[in-house]
């Protein structure tokens, strides 16, 4: 038999699936995979349910229903000051991961170089490589996760097609500030490169920080693709509703890929997402406030137990250095150990690097977007285990 595609068949099972399966086997409290316990806003779920029963359930327009595309454009204006034409610059996708695929397959030619920032979300590298791109990796180092400007500049070249990065950033909870974004923008302009920015955690930012989209920086409006997610903004990760914003020339290439990837997204879920994007500012402030309280609840307890807890300025996650609690193995060993012996599951941070063996091996990522009772159960299990 002829072999299948070598890029995809060489991939292993994702760390989320591996650790979640281990958690199920040992009835562990799973703080590994990033999905909330919350059901999501009632108004959003009710709107989707009503549309399912009373609305149009045949193929919606390929670019998305007008109501959601208009809501995405209005949302960009309200929170980022961006003037977006919903008809030519907004497209709905079946989740942010599909949006990433559409952008990378639509923009990369085989042999193009793509700058990526480690640690990175696990789908980035496989899609870039399957599209024929050549990854140029720049590493952020714990505990500060500062942008290494010289290394970043060295990663760009005349062959650079785009930079793909995530802010707020999974897994290390970094929020790029305006100065750092300005450095990235300057390199994009210098090398005539695009910026594909994964902004799915745009509303989950803490401690008086503010999410800034690189699309709003000088010179970047025409060369940025911005990706958002109803799943993260409304705690509805199973809906898989994403949206892409880009200038018309960029959008044409991305939309052609979407056309032959999924074509459409369930219309009732699009309708619900449109209702969500039009919720008042109080909803988004409460979302960030609630998540901040959960971060403090889990992070503070982990620190009391003995972990070194790194700053978390956004997203669902806290990163911890587990060496102070006396564990001397790798991060993968540690996550297996606490799943089996303590009944709590985390994810090894080295899994978010291209070469895990050369990555930092003493950090574990815990997810805090859970009910308080779930967090307290996990905290008590860990406290009991490490007090032995």
């Amino acid at each position: 038999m002829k072999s299948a595609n070598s890029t995809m068949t060489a991939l292993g099972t994702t760390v989320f699936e591996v650790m979640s399966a281990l958690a199920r086997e040992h009835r562990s409290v799973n703080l590994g995979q990033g999905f909330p316990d919350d059901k999501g806003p009632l108004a959003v779920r009710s709107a989707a349910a009503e549309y399912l029963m009373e609305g149009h359930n045949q193929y919606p327009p390929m670019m998305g229903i007008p109501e959601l595309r208009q809501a995405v454009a209005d949302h960009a204006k309200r929170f980022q000051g961006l003037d977006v034409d919903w008809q030519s610059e907004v497209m709905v996708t079946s989740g942010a991961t599909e949006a990433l695929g559409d952008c990378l397959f639509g923009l990369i030619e085989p042999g193009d170089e793509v700058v990526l920032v480690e640690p990175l979300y696990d789908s980035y590298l496989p899609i870039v490589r399957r599209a024929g791109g050549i990854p140029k990796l720049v590493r952020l180092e714990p505990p500060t996760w500062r942008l290494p400007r010289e290394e970043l500049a060295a990663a760009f070249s005349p062959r650079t097609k785009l930079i793909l990065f995530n802010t707020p950033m999974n897994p290390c909870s970094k929020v790029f500030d305006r100065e750092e974004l300005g450095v990235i923008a300057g390199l994009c302009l210098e090398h005539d490169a695009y910026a594909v920015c994964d902004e799915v955690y745009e509303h989950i930012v803490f401690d008086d920080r503010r999410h800034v989209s690189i699309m709003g920086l000088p010179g970047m409006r025409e060369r940025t693709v911005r990706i958002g997610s109803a799943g993260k903004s409304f705690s509805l990760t199973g809906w898989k509703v994403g949206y892409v914003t880009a200038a018309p020339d960029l959008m044409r290439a991305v939309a052609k890929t979407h056309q032959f990837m999924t074509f459409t997204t369930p219309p009732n879920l699009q309708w619900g997402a449109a209702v969500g994007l039009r919720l008042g500012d109080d909803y988004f402030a409460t979302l960030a406030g609630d998540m901040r309280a959960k971060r403090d609840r889990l992070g503070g307890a982990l620190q009391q137990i003995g972990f070194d807890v790194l700053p978390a300025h956004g997203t669902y996650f806290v990163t911890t250095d587990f060496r102070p609690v006396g564990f001397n193995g790798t991060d993968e060993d540690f996550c297996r150990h606490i799943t089996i012996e303590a009944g709590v599951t985390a994810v090894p941070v080295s899994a978010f690097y291209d070469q895990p063996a050369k990555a930092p091996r003493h950090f574990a990522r815990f997810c805090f977007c859970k009910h308080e009772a779930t967090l307290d159960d996990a905290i008590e299990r860990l406290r009991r285990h490490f007090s032995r």
Side-chain angles (χ1 to χ4, degrees):
M1 297 286 288
K2 293 181 178 178
S3 60
N5 177 261
S6 59
T7 298
M8 306 312 288
T9 55
L11 298 173
T13 305
T14 70
V15 66
F16 309 112
E17 184 57 31
V18 170
M19 296 310 302
S20 292
L22 196 65
R24 290 191 296 271
E25 179 184 349
H26 294 277
R27 297 185 179 182
S28 171
V29 178
N30 190 352
L31 302 186
Q33 194 165 5
F35 57 86
D37 285 344
D38 190 70
K39 291 183 177 180
L42 178 60
V44 175
R45 291 183 286 122
S46 297
E50 182 179 355
Y51 191 99
L52 179 67
M53 299 307 297
E54 305 296 336
H56 182 76
N57 286 294
Q58 307 310 320
Y59 292 126
M62 183 195 80
M63 297 294 287
I65 64 172
E67 292 80 3
L68 178 52
R69 295 164 68 201
Q70 290 167 5
V72 170
D74 292 345
H75 187 267
K77 178 67 173 178
R78 177 163 52 137
F79 288 100
Q80 295 295 324
L82 296 168
D83 291 312
V84 174
D85 178 6
W86 71 268
Q87 295 189 77
S88 63
E89 297 186 314
V90 178
M91 183 180 75
V92 179
T93 61
S94 293
T97 303
E98 191 233 317
L100 285 165
D102 294 341
C103 293
L104 298 174
F105 287 129
L107 297 176
I108 295 172
E109 292 279 11
D112 285 343
E113 292 181 355
V114 177
V115 178
L116 300 123
V117 181
E118 290 185 307
L120 40 68
Y121 185 59
D122 66 342
S123 72
Y124 291 1
L125 276 169
I127 302 174
V128 167
R129 287 181 169 134
R130 188 65 186 92
I134 300 172
K136 295 294 180 179
L137 296 164
V138 177
R139 179 174 291 189
L140 307 185
E141 297 290 350
T144 62
W145 308 114
R146 290 196 184 99
L147 186 69
R149 301 185 181 191
E150 291 184 4
E151 291 88 338
L152 182 68
F156 278 77
S157 80
R159 296 178 298 280
T160 303
K161 175 62 68 73
L162 60 89
I163 180 172
L164 167 60
F165 69 103
N166 179 210
T167 183
M169 189 176 177
N170 175 16
C172 65
S173 307
K174 174 185 175 62
V175 178
F176 285 80
D177 61 30
R178 184 177 289 274
E179 184 180 1
E180 291 173 316
L181 294 172
V183 170
I184 296 171
L187 290 167
C188 289
L189 293 168
E190 179 183 348
H191 295 278
D192 189 25
Y194 302 124
V196 177
C197 193
D198 177 353
E199 301 181 21
V200 298
Y201 294 101
E202 61 183 316
H203 290 295
I204 306 176
V205 180
F206 314 130
D207 306 327
D208 297 323
R209 283 172 170 76
R210 178 175 174 268
H211 170 65
V212 177
S213 176
I214 196 171
M215 182 177 273
L217 270 59
M220 294 304 294
R221 180 66 177 81
E222 302 300 316
R223 61 178 65 246
T224 299
V225 182
R226 183 169 182 251
I227 297 172
S229 166
K232 297 301 192 295
S233 292
F234 308 113
S235 301
L236 296 164
T237 58
W239 280 22
K240 299 296 291 180
V241 176
Y243 15 88
V244 177
T245 305
D249 286 346
L250 280 176
M251 182 59 77
R252 278 189 282 274
V254 176
K256 288 289 179 64
T257 311
H258 168 70
Q259 175 176 297
F260 297 109
M261 186 84 75
T262 63
F263 182 63
T264 58
T265 298
N268 66 309
L269 303 183
Q270 293 191 53
W271 185 270
V275 170
L277 289 174
R278 297 194 185 283
L279 292 174
D281 291 358
D282 58 332
Y283 165 76
F284 296 100
T286 299
L287 172 67
D290 288 349
M291 288 295 175
R292 182 183 66 246
K294 293 174 186 290
R295 177 205 64 176
D296 294 345
R297 190 184 198 93
L298 179 61
L302 291 172
Q303 200 156 23
Q304 289 177 356
I305 291 168
F307 290 86
D308 184 6
V309 179
L310 277 60
H313 298 144
T315 76
Y316 291 160
F317 311 107
V318 289
T319 299
T320 63
D321 184 340
F322 52 76
R323 290 175 298 180
V325 299
F327 192 90
N328 295 317
T330 68
D331 54 352
E332 185 176 347
D333 293 337
F334 175 79
C335 291
R336 288 182 177 275
H337 171 79
I338 61 171
T339 297
I340 296 168
E341 301 297 335
V344 178
T345 298
V347 168
V349 171
S350 65
F352 297 93
Y353 291 79
D354 183 34
Q355 299 183 55
K358 296 181 179 180
R361 300 304 300 271
H362 49 273
F363 294 97
R365 190 197 77 174
F366 291 86
C367 176
F368 54 76
C369 59
K370 307 295 183 181
H371 289 152
E372 291 180 357
T374 302
L375 296 177
D376 290 345
D377 186 10
I379 290 165
E380 181 55 33
R381 291 181 184 209
L382 291 169
R383 182 178 287 122
R384 193 164 55 241
H385 176 72
F386 286 107
S387 65
R388 293 174 187 170

